[in-house]
C-alpha cells in the first residue's frame, strides 16, 4: 500500500523463554516462575485446539495447489537431510488480541503438528507460524533443539523469510525460512566436533625423528605441562 513502509517480521521465541513475559523457562516448569503463565491456563482461554495436519497447514487457504507442493518439496528436502528435525508451517488468520508468541506456543503444544512421542527433550520440532492478514511470523523450536539452535539462529532464519513475507508471497517466505534453517543446521553439524573437543585419532609420529606430532596430540606449553 502506498505510503506505508513494508512490515518487518516480529522476531519472537516462545520455547526458551516464557511467551508471556520473556523470562527464561525450563523444560519441566509447569508455570512461569516470573509471571505464572502456563499452558493449561492458555488452553482454557483459547478453547478447543484445531487439528492441524503438517507439514503445511494452510488454514487461511492462501496457497495454490502448485505452491503448496513446492513448499512440501522444500520440507521433504530438509527432512531427508536432517530426519531428526520435524518441520511444520501454519498459515492462519489469528486473533490480533492474542500475542503472536502465545498463538505459537498453543499450536506447538496443542495443534497436533508433532507426534505424541515427540515430547520434552525428544521434541526436535520447528514451527513457522504466519499470521496472514497482518504479515507477521514467528518461529518456535522444541526442547530437543535448544542445545543447538539459539535465538540468533532463528532470527537469521526469520530475516531470510522477511522479504517474501512483506510481499505477501507466503510460500516463498516458508521456503526461504527452510533453506536458511538447513544452512544453519549444516553449519552447526560441521562445528559440533570442534565444539566438543573431538579430533580424529591419528598415528603417533615421533618428533625426535624430525616428523611433526599428530595434530590430535599437540598442546600448548612445555613438557612440564604434560600429566
Amino acid at each position: 500500500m502506498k505510503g506505508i513502509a513494508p512490515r518487518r517480521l516480529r522476531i519472537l521465541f516462545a520455547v526458551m523463554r516464557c511467551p508471556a513475559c520473556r523470562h527464561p523457562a525450563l523444560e519441566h516448569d509447569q508455570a512461569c516462575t516470573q509471571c505464572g503463565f502456563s499452558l493449561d491456563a492458555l488452553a482454557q482461554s483459547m478453547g478447543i485446539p484445531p487439528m492441524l495436519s503438517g507439514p503445511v497447514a494452510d488454514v487461511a487457504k492462501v496457497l495454490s495447489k502448485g505452491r503448496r507442493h513446492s513448499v512440501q518439496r522444500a520440507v521433504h528436502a530438509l527432512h531427508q537431510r536432517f530426519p531428526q528435525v520435524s518441520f511444520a508451517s501454519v498459515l492462519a488468520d489469528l486473533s490480533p488480541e492474542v500475542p503472536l508468541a502465545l498463538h505459537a506456543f498453543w499450536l506447538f503444544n496443542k495443534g497436533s503438528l508433532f507426534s505424541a512421542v515427540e515430547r520434552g527433550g525428544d521434541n526436535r520440532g520447528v514451527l513457522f507460524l504466519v499470521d496472514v492478514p497482518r504479515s507477521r511470523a514467528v518461529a518456535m523450536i522444541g526442547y530437543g533443539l535448544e542445545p543447538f539452535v539459539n535465538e540468533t539462529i532463528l532470527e537469521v532464519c526469520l530475516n531470510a523469510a522477511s522479504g517474501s513475507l512483506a510481499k505477501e508471497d507466503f510460500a516463498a517466505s516458508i521456503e526461504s525460512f527452510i533453506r536458511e534453517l538447513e544452512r544453519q543446521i549444516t553449519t552447526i553439524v560441521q562445528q559440533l566436533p570442534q565444539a566438543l573437543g573431538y579430533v580424529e585419532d591419528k598415528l603417533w609420529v615421533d618428533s625426535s625423528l624430525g616428523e611433526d606430532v599428530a595434530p590430535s596430540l599437540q598442546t600448548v606449553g612445555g613438557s612440564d605441562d604434560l600429566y
Side-chain angles (χ1 to χ4, degrees), residues 70-108:
S70 177
V71 173
Q72 289 174 332
R73 286 193 295 270
V75 175
H76 179 72
L78 174 68
H79 288 170
Q80 285 288 101
R81 186 161 188 177
F82 300 107
Q84 301 89 346
V85 175
S86 299
F87 179 85
S89 57
V90 178
L91 299 101
D93 181 353
L94 304 175
S95 170
E97 287 77 23
V98 179
L100 191 56
L102 298 189
H103 274 294
F105 187 78
W106 180 56
L107 292 176
F108 193 102

Side-chain angles (χ1 to χ4, degrees), residues 70 74 78 157 160 164 171-186:
S70 177
L78 174 68
C157 296
S164 298
S173 69
I174 300 172
E175 293 169 8
S176 296
F177 181 92
I178 292 172
R179 284 194 297 269
E180 186 58 41
L181 178 65
E182 183 174 339
R183 281 193 288 266
Q184 292 294 326
I185 296 178
T186 299

Side-chain angles (χ1 to χ4, degrees), residues 2 10 41 58 87 115 125 135 157 161 169 182 187 189 207 213 219:
K2 186 176 180 180
R10 296 185 60 188
D58 183 17
F87 179 85
S115 168
S135 294
C157 296
D169 189 343
E182 183 174 339
T187 299
V189 170
S207 59
V213 177
T219 185

Side-chain angles (χ1 to χ4, degrees), residues 7 9 56-64 67-68 70-72 74-75 87 89-93 128-137 160-179:
R7 299 184 181 95
L9 279 172
V56 185
D58 183 17
V59 181
K61 301 186 183 303
V62 293
L63 299 182
S64 66
R67 297 294 276 157
R68 183 186 183 92
S70 177
V71 173
Q72 289 174 332
V75 175
F87 179 85
S89 57
V90 178
L91 299 101
D93 181 353
F128 182 67
L129 174 63
V130 178
D131 180 17
V132 171
R134 284 156 284 279
S135 294
R136 302 182 300 166
S162 62
S164 298
L165 187 63
K167 299 175 184 177
E168 298 185 351
D169 189 343
F170 302 112
S173 69
I174 300 172
E175 293 169 8
S176 296
F177 181 92
I178 292 172
R179 284 194 297 269

